[in-house]
Amino acid sequence: MYHKEKSIQIKSSASALYNNLSVLPIAERSLTYFTVVHGNVVNMVSASGDGLNFSHRQLQSKEGSIAASSSLIIQASWCVLPSRVLLVLTSQKGIQMYESDGSIMVYWHALDIPETPTAQAVFARGIAAARGNYICVGTSCGSVLVFDVPSKGSNITLSEVLEEHREPITDIASESSRNEDGVADLVTADDSGLLCVWKSGEDFSLVNKIPAYGCSCSSVKLWCGVVVAGYGSGQIRLYDGASGSVYAEVNAHARWIYALDVAPDTGTLLSGAEDSLVRIWKLSRTPETNRIEIEHRHTECVTDVQICGAKFCDSEGNAFAVTGYDLSEIIRYMLV
Protein backbone atom coordinates (compact mmCIF):
# COMPACT_ATOMS: atom_id res chain seq x y z
CA MET A 1 0.00 0.00 0.00
CA TYR A 2 2.81 2.42 0.92
CA HIS A 3 6.22 2.33 -0.75
CA LYS A 4 9.43 3.46 0.93
CA GLU A 5 10.99 6.52 -0.70
CA LYS A 6 14.53 7.90 -0.46
CA SER A 7 15.29 8.94 3.12
CA ILE A 8 16.30 12.47 4.13
CA GLN A 9 19.57 12.66 6.03
CA ILE A 10 19.66 15.04 9.00
CA LYS A 11 22.68 16.54 10.73
CA SER A 12 21.97 15.03 14.16
CA SER A 13 19.79 12.16 15.33
CA ALA A 14 16.30 12.37 16.84
CA SER A 15 15.86 12.56 20.61
CA ALA A 16 13.44 10.13 22.28
CA LEU A 17 10.60 12.65 22.63
CA TYR A 18 6.88 12.37 21.95
CA ASN A 19 5.78 13.67 18.55
CA ASN A 20 9.37 14.41 17.49
CA LEU A 21 8.58 15.35 13.91
CA SER A 22 6.79 18.32 12.40
CA VAL A 23 5.91 18.67 8.72
CA LEU A 24 4.87 21.78 6.79
CA PRO A 25 3.91 21.29 3.11
CA ILE A 26 4.15 24.44 0.98
CA ALA A 27 2.25 23.54 -2.17
CA GLU A 28 2.79 26.81 -4.05
CA ARG A 29 6.58 26.37 -3.85
CA SER A 30 6.52 22.56 -4.22
CA LEU A 31 8.45 22.26 -0.95
CA THR A 32 8.04 20.34 2.29
CA TYR A 33 9.66 21.48 5.55
CA PHE A 34 10.60 19.01 8.30
CA THR A 35 11.84 19.57 11.86
CA VAL A 36 13.41 17.02 14.22
CA VAL A 37 14.68 17.79 17.75
CA HIS A 38 18.07 16.61 19.05
CA GLY A 39 19.20 17.87 22.47
CA ASN A 40 19.36 21.66 22.33
CA VAL A 41 19.17 21.77 18.52
CA VAL A 42 16.33 21.64 15.99
CA ASN A 43 17.21 20.09 12.63
CA MET A 44 15.29 21.83 9.82
CA VAL A 45 15.16 20.41 6.30
CA SER A 46 13.36 21.75 3.25
CA ALA A 47 12.84 19.14 0.55
CA SER A 48 11.81 19.76 -3.05
CA GLY A 49 8.72 18.07 -4.44
CA ASP A 50 10.76 15.64 -6.54
CA GLY A 51 12.78 14.62 -3.46
CA LEU A 52 16.11 15.42 -5.10
CA ASN A 53 17.07 18.74 -3.52
CA PHE A 54 17.45 19.46 0.20
CA SER A 55 18.38 22.49 2.28
CA HIS A 56 19.48 22.13 5.90
CA ARG A 57 19.36 24.54 8.84
CA GLN A 58 19.85 24.14 12.59
CA LEU A 59 18.21 26.22 15.30
CA GLN A 60 19.73 26.26 18.78
CA SER A 61 17.84 26.71 22.02
CA LYS A 62 18.03 30.31 23.18
CA GLU A 63 17.17 32.19 26.34
CA GLY A 64 15.98 35.45 24.89
CA SER A 65 18.63 36.30 22.27
CA ILE A 66 21.46 34.40 23.99
CA ALA A 67 22.23 30.77 23.21
CA ALA A 68 21.71 28.57 26.28
CA SER A 69 23.43 25.28 25.64
CA SER A 70 22.03 23.70 28.81
CA SER A 71 18.40 24.20 27.76
CA LEU A 72 17.06 21.06 26.12
CA ILE A 73 14.41 21.51 23.44
CA ILE A 74 11.31 19.41 24.09
CA GLN A 75 9.29 20.01 20.91
CA ALA A 76 9.23 21.96 17.65
CA SER A 77 6.08 22.45 15.61
CA TRP A 78 4.68 24.74 12.93
CA CYS A 79 1.49 26.63 13.75
CA VAL A 80 -0.57 27.60 10.70
CA LEU A 81 -2.64 30.71 11.46
CA PRO A 82 -5.04 32.49 9.07
CA SER A 83 -2.49 35.14 8.08
CA ARG A 84 0.92 33.66 8.92
CA VAL A 85 2.86 30.53 9.84
CA LEU A 86 5.14 30.41 12.88
CA LEU A 87 7.62 27.77 14.01
CA VAL A 88 7.24 27.27 17.77
CA LEU A 89 9.95 25.71 19.97
CA THR A 90 9.47 24.64 23.58
CA SER A 91 12.31 23.95 26.01
CA GLN A 92 13.30 23.78 29.68
CA LYS A 93 13.69 27.57 29.69
CA GLY A 94 10.73 28.83 27.73
CA ILE A 95 8.92 29.21 24.42
CA GLN A 96 10.38 30.60 21.21
CA MET A 97 8.43 31.61 18.10
CA TYR A 98 10.14 32.00 14.74
CA GLU A 99 9.14 32.93 11.23
CA SER A 100 8.27 29.73 9.36
CA ASP A 101 11.74 29.30 7.83
CA GLY A 102 13.48 29.73 11.20
CA SER A 103 15.29 32.88 10.04
CA ILE A 104 13.96 35.36 12.62
CA MET A 105 12.84 34.83 16.22
CA VAL A 106 9.78 37.04 16.74
CA TYR A 107 8.88 36.17 20.34
CA TRP A 108 10.34 34.70 23.53
CA HIS A 109 8.40 33.70 26.64
CA ALA A 110 10.37 32.63 29.72
CA LEU A 111 8.99 29.93 31.99
CA ASP A 112 8.73 30.54 35.73
CA ILE A 113 11.65 28.58 37.15
CA PRO A 114 11.70 28.26 40.97
CA GLU A 115 14.74 29.68 42.76
CA THR A 116 15.09 26.49 44.81
CA PRO A 117 15.33 23.19 42.91
CA THR A 118 12.23 21.01 43.02
CA ALA A 119 11.70 17.34 42.24
CA GLN A 120 9.61 18.24 39.20
CA ALA A 121 11.35 19.38 36.02
CA VAL A 122 10.27 22.64 34.38
CA PHE A 123 9.54 22.63 30.65
CA ALA A 124 6.97 23.44 27.99
CA ARG A 125 5.44 20.77 25.74
CA GLY A 126 2.36 20.53 23.52
CA ILE A 127 1.87 23.06 20.71
CA ALA A 128 -1.18 23.86 18.59
CA ALA A 129 -2.70 26.74 16.64
CA ALA A 130 -6.27 27.38 17.78
CA ARG A 131 -9.13 28.94 15.85
CA GLY A 132 -8.50 32.59 15.13
CA ASN A 133 -5.03 33.93 15.84
CA TYR A 134 -4.15 31.92 18.92
CA ILE A 135 -1.28 29.55 19.69
CA CYS A 136 -1.63 27.25 22.71
CA VAL A 137 1.41 25.82 24.52
CA GLY A 138 1.37 23.41 27.47
CA THR A 139 3.69 23.43 30.48
CA SER A 140 5.05 20.96 33.02
CA CYS A 141 2.85 22.41 35.78
CA GLY A 142 -0.30 21.58 33.78
CA SER A 143 -1.08 25.10 32.61
CA VAL A 144 -1.92 25.83 28.98
CA LEU A 145 -0.68 29.23 27.81
CA VAL A 146 -2.77 30.96 25.14
CA PHE A 147 -0.91 33.50 22.99
CA ASP A 148 -2.66 36.08 20.83
CA VAL A 149 -0.66 36.47 17.62
CA PRO A 150 -1.08 39.54 15.35
CA SER A 151 -1.22 39.11 11.57
CA LYS A 152 2.33 40.45 11.35
CA GLY A 153 5.07 41.74 13.62
CA SER A 154 6.24 40.62 17.05
CA ASN A 155 3.57 42.10 19.32
CA ILE A 156 2.54 38.67 20.61
CA THR A 157 0.77 38.66 23.99
CA LEU A 158 -0.16 36.05 26.58
CA SER A 159 -3.94 36.46 26.59
CA GLU A 160 -5.11 33.60 28.82
CA VAL A 161 -3.90 30.70 30.99
CA LEU A 162 -6.02 27.53 31.13
CA GLU A 163 -5.72 25.80 34.51
CA GLU A 164 -7.66 22.52 34.38
CA HIS A 165 -4.73 20.07 34.39
CA ARG A 166 -2.65 19.13 37.44
CA GLU A 167 -0.05 17.01 35.63
CA PRO A 168 2.45 17.99 32.88
CA ILE A 169 0.86 18.58 29.49
CA THR A 170 1.89 15.95 26.93
CA ASP A 171 0.16 17.13 23.75
CA ILE A 172 -2.37 19.62 22.37
CA ALA A 173 -4.42 19.32 19.18
CA SER A 174 -6.88 21.60 17.42
CA GLU A 175 -9.32 21.50 14.56
CA SER A 176 -9.25 25.11 13.46
CA SER A 177 -11.16 24.40 10.25
CA ARG A 178 -14.36 23.83 12.22
CA ASN A 179 -15.96 27.27 12.29
CA GLU A 180 -19.30 26.42 13.88
CA ASP A 181 -19.99 28.41 17.04
CA GLY A 182 -20.06 26.40 20.22
CA VAL A 183 -18.19 23.43 18.73
CA ALA A 184 -15.29 21.89 20.61
CA ASP A 185 -12.15 22.53 18.57
CA LEU A 186 -9.22 22.06 20.97
CA VAL A 187 -8.08 19.16 23.16
CA THR A 188 -5.30 19.03 25.76
CA ALA A 189 -3.75 15.88 27.27
CA ASP A 190 -1.53 15.27 30.28
CA ASP A 191 0.75 12.69 31.88
CA SER A 192 -2.08 11.18 33.94
CA GLY A 193 -4.16 10.55 30.81
CA LEU A 194 -6.72 13.29 31.54
CA LEU A 195 -8.13 14.96 28.43
CA CYS A 196 -9.74 18.42 28.44
CA VAL A 197 -11.86 19.50 25.49
CA TRP A 198 -12.23 23.23 24.81
CA LYS A 199 -14.01 25.72 22.61
CA SER A 200 -11.48 28.34 21.54
CA GLY A 201 -12.07 32.03 20.96
CA GLU A 202 -11.57 35.32 22.78
CA ASP A 203 -12.46 33.43 25.95
CA PHE A 204 -11.63 29.73 25.92
CA SER A 205 -14.32 27.63 27.58
CA LEU A 206 -14.12 24.06 28.89
CA VAL A 207 -16.56 21.77 27.05
CA ASN A 208 -15.75 18.46 28.64
CA LYS A 209 -13.27 16.52 30.78
CA ILE A 210 -12.47 12.96 29.75
CA PRO A 211 -11.10 11.22 32.86
CA ALA A 212 -7.79 9.37 33.02
CA TYR A 213 -7.75 5.62 33.41
CA GLY A 214 -4.27 5.02 34.80
CA CYS A 215 -2.09 5.50 31.73
CA SER A 216 -0.38 8.54 30.23
CA CYS A 217 -1.79 9.97 26.99
CA SER A 218 1.26 10.77 24.87
CA SER A 219 -0.40 12.00 21.68
CA VAL A 220 -3.84 13.37 20.81
CA LYS A 221 -5.67 14.52 17.65
CA LEU A 222 -9.07 15.94 16.68
CA TRP A 223 -11.05 14.93 13.60
CA CYS A 224 -14.66 16.01 12.91
CA GLY A 225 -15.26 16.56 16.63
CA VAL A 226 -13.77 13.16 17.54
CA VAL A 227 -10.88 12.99 20.01
CA VAL A 228 -8.25 10.41 18.99
CA ALA A 229 -5.92 9.59 21.89
CA GLY A 230 -2.80 7.38 21.97
CA TYR A 231 -1.58 5.94 25.28
CA GLY A 232 1.46 4.42 26.91
CA SER A 233 -0.43 1.13 27.01
CA GLY A 234 -0.31 0.99 23.21
CA GLN A 235 -4.05 1.61 22.98
CA ILE A 236 -5.88 4.10 20.79
CA ARG A 237 -9.19 5.42 22.06
CA LEU A 238 -11.79 7.40 20.13
CA TYR A 239 -14.07 9.73 22.11
CA ASP A 240 -16.94 12.03 21.25
CA GLY A 241 -15.49 15.45 21.99
CA ALA A 242 -18.78 16.94 23.21
CA SER A 243 -19.98 14.12 25.50
CA GLY A 244 -16.78 12.24 26.29
CA SER A 245 -18.38 8.89 25.42
CA VAL A 246 -16.07 6.21 24.00
CA TYR A 247 -16.63 5.30 20.35
CA ALA A 248 -13.90 2.67 20.12
CA GLU A 249 -10.83 1.25 21.83
CA VAL A 250 -8.08 -0.53 19.89
CA ASN A 251 -5.05 -2.45 21.17
CA ALA A 252 -2.99 -0.88 18.42
CA HIS A 253 0.60 -1.43 19.55
CA ALA A 254 2.60 -3.66 21.86
CA ARG A 255 4.48 -0.72 23.38
CA TRP A 256 4.17 3.00 24.11
CA ILE A 257 2.58 5.13 21.38
CA TYR A 258 4.79 8.14 20.61
CA ALA A 259 2.93 9.78 17.74
CA LEU A 260 -0.50 10.11 16.11
CA ASP A 261 -1.57 12.05 13.05
CA VAL A 262 -4.80 12.41 11.07
CA ALA A 263 -5.15 13.37 7.40
CA PRO A 264 -8.16 15.72 7.74
CA ASP A 265 -9.45 15.36 4.17
CA THR A 266 -9.80 11.57 4.30
CA GLY A 267 -9.94 10.57 7.99
CA THR A 268 -6.79 8.46 7.59
CA LEU A 269 -5.09 7.91 10.95
CA LEU A 270 -1.42 7.15 11.53
CA SER A 271 0.09 5.76 14.76
CA GLY A 272 3.76 5.16 15.58
CA ALA A 273 5.15 3.43 18.66
CA GLU A 274 8.17 2.01 20.44
CA ASP A 275 7.42 -1.40 18.90
CA SER A 276 8.94 -0.21 15.57
CA LEU A 277 5.53 -0.24 13.86
CA VAL A 278 3.65 2.46 12.01
CA ARG A 279 0.01 1.56 11.49
CA ILE A 280 -2.46 3.22 9.13
CA TRP A 281 -6.15 3.27 10.06
CA LYS A 282 -9.33 4.56 8.43
CA LEU A 283 -11.81 6.58 10.47
CA SER A 284 -15.38 6.82 9.20
CA ARG A 285 -18.79 7.87 10.50
CA THR A 286 -21.72 5.50 9.99
CA PRO A 287 -24.77 7.38 8.63
CA GLU A 288 -27.26 5.13 10.44
CA THR A 289 -25.89 5.51 13.97
CA ASN A 290 -23.64 8.58 13.55
CA ARG A 291 -20.93 6.65 15.35
CA ILE A 292 -17.24 6.60 14.46
CA GLU A 293 -15.64 3.37 13.31
CA ILE A 294 -11.94 2.56 12.95
CA GLU A 295 -10.53 0.05 10.45
CA HIS A 296 -6.91 -1.11 10.13
CA ARG A 297 -5.52 -0.58 6.62
CA HIS A 298 -1.73 -1.00 6.66
CA THR A 299 1.29 -1.77 8.86
CA GLU A 300 4.86 -0.70 8.14
CA CYS A 301 7.69 -2.19 10.21
CA VAL A 302 10.66 0.17 10.62
CA THR A 303 13.11 -2.51 11.69
CA ASP A 304 15.12 -1.93 14.87
CA VAL A 305 13.86 1.66 15.21
CA GLN A 306 12.13 3.08 18.29
CA ILE A 307 9.70 5.41 16.54
CA CYS A 308 9.38 8.83 18.14
CA GLY A 309 7.78 10.88 15.36
CA ALA A 310 5.36 10.15 12.53
CA LYS A 311 3.41 12.65 10.39
CA PHE A 312 1.48 12.76 7.16
CA CYS A 313 3.05 14.99 4.49
CA ASP A 314 -0.29 16.05 2.96
CA SER A 315 -3.91 16.49 3.97
CA GLU A 316 -5.08 13.35 2.11
CA GLY A 317 -2.64 10.92 3.75
CA ASN A 318 -0.89 9.97 0.51
CA ALA A 319 2.57 10.21 2.08
CA PHE A 320 4.02 10.08 5.58
CA ALA A 321 7.39 10.46 7.29
CA VAL A 322 8.92 8.76 10.34
CA THR A 323 11.72 9.54 12.78
CA GLY A 324 13.33 7.20 15.29
CA TYR A 325 15.43 7.53 18.42
CA ASP A 326 19.15 7.91 17.61
CA LEU A 327 18.34 7.78 13.87
CA SER A 328 19.95 10.49 11.69
CA GLU A 329 17.42 10.32 8.90
CA ILE A 330 13.77 10.96 8.13
CA ILE A 331 12.20 7.89 6.50
CA ARG A 332 9.48 8.65 3.94
CA TYR A 333 6.68 6.50 2.51
CA MET A 334 4.39 7.14 -0.44
CA LEU A 335 1.02 5.63 -1.30
CA VAL A 336 1.14 3.45 -4.42
Side-chain angles (χ1 to χ4, degrees), residues 15-209:
S15 297
L17 301 166
Y18 301 152
N19 308 298
N20 191 3
L21 176 65
S22 186
V23 178
L24 177 68
I26 305 175
E28 62 271 18
R29 295 172 58 191
S30 191
L31 287 174
T32 305
Y33 286 159
F34 301 87
T35 63
V36 183
V37 173
H38 172 85
N40 67 325
V41 170
V42 176
N43 296 288
M44 292 185 65
V45 183
S46 64
S48 60
D50 57 14
L52 299 177
N53 298 308
F54 305 100
S55 175
H56 296 265
R57 184 190 194 100
Q58 285 190 318
L59 294 179
Q60 189 172 24
S61 175
K62 296 178 181 179
E63 185 175 1
S65 60
I66 303 170
S69 59
S70 61
S71 180
L72 293 176
I73 297 174
I74 308 299
Q75 192 177 5
S77 182
W78 277 285
C79 289
V80 180
L81 300 169
S83 57
R84 67 194 298 189
V85 179
L86 293 180
L87 175 61
V88 181
L89 275 56
T90 62
S91 72
Q92 295 174 312
K93 300 283 187 179
I95 300 157
Q96 304 164 43
M97 298 187 188
Y98 289 82
E99 296 292 356
S100 61
D101 61 357
S103 60
I104 301 171
M105 186 168 73
V106 297
Y107 183 72
W108 159 257
H109 178 86
L111 294 177
D112 293 329
I113 299 176
E115 294 181 4
T116 56
T118 62
Q120 186 179 21
V122 175
F123 57 87
R125 178 176 61 191
I127 305 165
R131 185 173 59 168
N133 291 295
Y134 298 100
I135 291 178
C136 300
V137 181
T139 69
S140 54
C141 68
S143 300
V144 177
L145 310 181
V146 180
F147 296 95
D148 191 350
V149 181
S151 57
K152 59 182 179 179
S154 58
N155 190 27
I156 298 170
T157 57
L158 177 63
S159 63
E160 194 171 352
V161 180
L162 311 179
E163 299 277 13
E164 290 294 330
H165 292 274
R166 297 294 175 263
E167 297 292 329
I169 301 298
T170 51
D171 197 19
I172 303 176
S174 68
E175 195 173 14
S176 54
S177 60
R178 303 193 81 207
N179 294 319
E180 305 99 313
D181 290 336
V183 171
D185 55 11
L186 185 80
V187 59
T188 54
D190 70 22
D191 260 339
S192 73
L194 173 69
L195 305 176
C196 290
V197 185
W198 308 83
K199 182 180 77 70
S200 61
E202 289 188 12
D203 293 307
F204 282 62
S205 58
L206 182 68
V207 174
N208 189 32
K209 269 187 169 183

Side-chain angles (χ1 to χ4, degrees), residues 250-261:
V250 181
N251 294 320
H253 292 272
R255 299 187 67 181
W256 204 290
I257 292 175
Y258 262 59
L260 293 177
D261 197 21

Side-chain angles (χ1 to χ4, degrees), residues 214-225:
C215 194
S216 178
C217 176
S218 50
S219 192
V220 68
K221 291 296 172 186
L222 264 177
W223 178 76
C224 294

Side-chain angles (χ1 to χ4, degrees), residues 237-300:
R237 284 187 167 194
L238 308 182
Y239 301 93
D240 179 78
S243 68
S245 60
V246 179
Y247 282 131
E249 178 181 278
V250 181
N251 294 320
H253 292 272
R255 299 187 67 181
W256 204 290
I257 292 175
Y258 262 59
L260 293 177
D261 197 21
V262 175
D265 292 355
T266 59
T268 307
L269 171 67
L270 174 156
S271 61
E274 285 183 327
D275 59 5
S276 301
L277 298 179
V278 178
R279 297 193 190 276
I280 304 295
W281 315 81
K282 176 66 176 178
L283 304 178
S284 58
R285 190 182 294 274
T286 56
E288 299 82 8
T289 62
N290 202 35
R291 291 185 62 82
I292 296 293
E293 295 183 348
I294 180 170
E295 177 189 358
H296 176 253
R297 289 290 181 88
H298 181 75
T299 294
E300 197 70 49

